[in-house]
Amino acid sequence: MSDSSPRPRIISPDTLRAGGDRQARTPPAQVLSVKWPVLHYGNVPEVNPHAENWRLRIFGACDAPYELKYDEIRAMPPVDVVCDMHCVTHWSRLDNVFTGVPTKLLIDRAKPRPEARFVMCHGENGFTTNLPLEAFTGDDCILAWAWDGKDLTPDHGWPLRGIVPRLYLWKSAKWIRGIELRKTDAPGFWEQNGYHMNGDPWKEERYGW
Ligand SMILES: Nc1nc2c(c(=O)[nH]1)N[C@H]1C(S)=C(S)[C@@H](COP(=O)(O)O)O[C@H]1N2
Ligand SMILES: [Mo]
């Protein structure tokens, strides 16, 4: 049974930074947290991924845009990603295990055009966040439904959220519903409010473009 076969385990390269030493894995001006805080704009949306109109859409600068139902996503072979999380509000949480499907697989299937260089992730309630396509399709990037072996709680983004471990956590859209491939970069929700277009915690790309 596929249920009992071990899932591929992908270790985010940052987790191995300097031999995995905790301090060496903590980016500048971050403080380690044992708890996992909840942060987002607005209310936690009530999402029913089995509702008739729920789809994940992959669209934009690609030759084969498509949509997936939630069950189709959950039927894809999942991977576990071991990674650290870094929030721009200065907390970091090490050694997380998220389960989901690789973004690279989802993106490749849409046949991105050569000029596609950025993505805009779309969440429920109009939330958006932009990032370079290359950063979004790293080996450790997934759309996740579980953390620590259990389904995500709604406030952390269930039924599906982006996980882009090597950028600040605001680039990891909760309640994701769409991935738009783009030729040009454009600021998403927090980016329009002054957050960085790229968001690398090791370069402290917090605010400003
Ligand atoms: N849909 C959506 N996703 C979002 C946000 C949001 O407001 N809406 N906030 C982002 C920010 S600023 C952070 S720090 C992380 C927090 O994720 P967490 O609550 O699971 O820690 O979610 C990100 N994803
Ligand atoms: Mo944030």
Side-chain angles (χ1 to χ4, degrees):
M1 287 284 293
S2 61
D3 272 6
S4 55
S5 66
R7 291 190 284 264
R9 199 172 171 85
I10 296 158
I11 316 276
S12 177
D14 274 357
T15 298
L16 303 173
R17 197 174 265 266
D21 171 75
R22 291 176 73 79
Q23 211 46 53
R25 282 162 64 187
T26 309
Q30 293 293 107
V31 177
L32 293 185
S33 173
V34 175
K35 289 193 184 145
W36 182 11
V38 170
L39 276 121
H40 52 258
Y41 180 79
N43 299 321
V44 176
E46 259 182 52
V47 184
N48 175 6
H50 304 293
E52 192 39 51
N53 66 352
W54 194 99
R55 293 286 188 284
L56 175 74
R57 292 179 61 214
I58 297 163
F59 64 104
C62 57
D63 289 328
Y66 68 101
E67 299 182 349
L68 290 173
K69 294 182 183 177
Y70 192 63
D71 289 344
E72 295 175 308
I73 298 168
R74 295 293 298 257
M76 294 172 71
V79 299
D80 285 341
V81 169
V82 182
C83 64
D84 302 337
M85 289 189 261
H86 309 295
C87 179
V88 71
T89 61
H90 295 279
W91 60 265
S92 290
R93 191 180 189 288
L94 306 184
D95 297 317
N96 302 279
V97 184
F98 287 98
T99 306
V101 291
T103 53
K104 178 142 188 3
L105 211 85
L106 294 165
I107 295 285
D108 283 353
R109 181 168 156 189
K111 298 196 180 5
R113 299 209 188 105
E115 65 267 25
R117 289 182 48 231
F118 301 93
V119 295
M120 185 73 85
C121 295
H122 297 260
E124 294 285 340
N125 301 343
F127 177 83
T128 51
T129 187
N130 60 296
L131 58 164
L133 176 60
E134 204 184 332
F136 185 68
T137 51
D139 289 342
D140 53 349
C141 298
I142 58 174
L143 300 193
W145 57 78
W147 174 80
D148 202 16
K150 293 179 281 294
D151 267 16
L152 288 166
T153 53
D155 56 1
H156 282 304
W158 187 91
L160 195 66
R161 73 170 298 166
I163 289 293
V164 181
R166 283 177 282 171
L167 297 180
Y168 283 121
L169 197 57
W170 88 80
K171 300 287 186 184
S172 294
K174 304 201 271 194
W175 315 294
I176 195 165
R177 287 289 288 272
I179 303 167
E180 179 186 357
L181 288 149
R182 296 178 52 96
K183 197 160 93 176
T184 55
D185 205 3
F189 175 79
W190 291 112
E191 292 82 3
Q192 287 170 41
N193 288 283
Y195 284 32
H196 201 278
M197 295 294 261
N198 189 46
D200 181 342
W202 295 95
K203 298 182 188 156
E204 281 209 82
E205 292 174 340
R206 296 174 191 273
Y207 311 105
W209 300 2

